[in-house]
Amino acid sequence: MNKPKYPVLTVMKALEIIEVLSQDSSNRGVGISELSRKLDLGKSTVHRILETLKYYGFIDKNEETNRYRLGWSLYNIGQMVPRQNQLYNLDNTLLIELSQKVKETVNVGVISGSEVVIISKIEGSAENLRVNLQPGEHEALHATALGKMLISELPEEAIRSMMDKDRGRLKKLTHNTITSVDDLIKEIEKTKRQGYAVDNEEFCIGLYCMAMPLRDYTGNIIAALSVSTPYARINETKIKETLEDLKEYSGKISKILGYQGKDSRPLP
């Protein structure tokens, strides 16, 4: 994500303090000295920012230990994110139906910066089905079917600008990962032509994934729907049947999101 053109430094430092506090899982809180050291800020500056955040309820202070942790006001604000995002208001019945039908894990992801954020996951298999609605899991755009699908209709320049600029190389996660931006562009062109994306053990060895777009009333891709399966269960019949189911359910969900069009491209 690009830095703001006209950043307000005090606001940035306050947000950095919140980020540091969010990484504390000990329930002990973080002291001023530690915050000062981690953020390279004077203790008096840290203290003033903390007092301001405390006034608004964004952080709490343990008066006995003089350590700080996140406050409930942040939690209340965070609860508004799904309410303001139509994707989070979807009835998960369709996702559960798809998972039960394919007997595999179903994911919905959106793009955030240069990553995919999983917002819904139905963990299923031939043996069991478990719903996991905890959002926030991050995955690589270039190494996942969700990611490829999400960027499949972006201009080439936009794709190049959001990818790692280290001499055109991308992070290698497995021996199958696409590590060249040029090769990724070719893969994205293929994805766009066929209407679905594939992750062939590129993000995780032993995992095969297929994804299709979710569109809203504008016709734009706002999310992607995927089915993940152990590579050992993959064969031509499995791929064909899964793609047919993905097309059916991505169409149903897109319709709920207001999409009026129809994908007439035949599946292989």
Side-chain angles (χ1 to χ4, degrees):
M1 185 178 296
N2 296 328
K3 289 185 177 180
K5 190 174 182 179
Y6 304 107
V8 180
L9 296 182
T10 303
V11 174
M12 292 182 70
K13 293 303 179 183
L15 294 175
E16 288 174 4
I17 286 176
I18 290 175
E19 286 184 346
V20 172
L21 294 179
S22 72
Q23 296 166 7
D24 174 49
S25 58
S26 66
N27 295 324
R28 295 174 57 248
V30 182
I32 290 179
S33 296
E34 185 176 350
L35 288 168
S36 174
R37 183 176 67 256
K38 286 186 175 181
L39 300 175
D40 193 25
L41 284 174
K43 292 182 180 179
S44 61
T45 300
V46 172
H47 182 263
R48 289 197 299 271
I49 295 175
L50 287 170
E51 287 300 304
T52 303
L53 292 173
K54 182 170 175 273
Y55 173 79
Y56 284 97
F58 292 163
I59 65 169
D60 288 330
K61 179 183 179 182
N62 186 322
E63 299 295 341
E64 294 182 359
T65 63
N66 287 323
R67 301 175 76 89
Y68 296 83
R69 60 189 177 191
L70 298 181
W72 284 103
S73 287
L74 277 178
Y75 176 82
N76 294 333
I77 291 174
Q79 295 302 295
M80 293 304 300
V81 175
R83 296 179 189 177
Q84 294 178 6
N85 191 323
Q86 189 179 6
L87 281 168
Y88 282 90
N89 294 327
L90 281 175
D91 184 346
N92 286 286
T93 299
L94 289 176
L95 300 182
I96 294 173
E97 283 182 8
L98 176 58
S99 185
Q100 290 175 328
K101 193 170 185 179
V102 298
K103 295 182 173 60
E104 304 293 355
T105 297
V106 171
N107 310 279
V108 175
V110 296
I111 192 169
S112 176
S114 58
E115 293 182 304
V116 178
V117 177
I118 304 299
I119 62 171
S120 289
K121 175 179 290 186
I122 310 298
E123 297 182 353
S125 70
E127 295 77 29
N128 57 67
L129 177 69
R130 184 163 67 88
V131 179
N132 180 357
L133 299 179
Q134 293 298 323
E137 181 181 344
H138 290 246
E139 296 182 353
L141 277 174
H142 69 283
T144 59
L146 285 172
K148 295 174 191 176
M149 193 73 257
L150 287 167
I151 63 176
S152 64
E153 295 185 356
L154 294 179
E156 180 177 332
E157 297 76 14
I159 296 174
R160 290 185 180 277
S161 68
M162 69 170 52
M163 292 295 106
D164 188 353
K165 299 179 181 179
D166 184 14
R167 299 181 180 179
R169 306 303 296 175
L170 303 170
K171 185 176 181 180
K172 185 174 183 178
L173 301 172
T174 75
H175 63 270
N176 281 351
T177 304
I178 295 174
T179 56
S180 162
V181 175
D182 289 336
D183 288 340
L184 177 63
I185 295 297
K186 293 177 183 177
E187 179 73 7
I188 294 305
E189 291 173 351
K190 178 182 177 181
T191 295
K192 187 174 181 178
R193 287 195 306 271
Q194 63 192 15
Y196 65 91
V198 172
D199 162 13
N200 186 5
E201 296 188 292
E202 297 163 53
F203 183 71
C204 178
I205 292 297
L207 189 66
Y208 190 94
C209 187
M210 292 165 277
M212 286 190 177
L214 297 180
R215 302 177 187 274
D216 66 0
Y217 66 96
T218 67
N220 294 320
I221 297 175
I222 61 168
L225 175 69
S226 75
V227 171
S228 301
T229 181
Y231 190 83
R233 290 206 285 265
I234 282 296
N235 53 51
E236 289 186 10
T237 300
K238 176 78 170 178
I239 291 174
K240 182 178 180 180
E241 292 177 349
T242 299
L243 287 174
E244 289 174 350
D245 292 331
L246 261 175
K247 185 172 183 178
E248 176 187 353
Y249 280 84
S250 63
K252 288 180 177 179
I253 295 173
S254 293
K255 187 175 181 180
I256 292 173
L257 295 172
Y259 181 57
Q260 299 297 316
K262 182 179 180 181
D263 188 353
S264 60
R265 284 171 290 191
L267 292 170

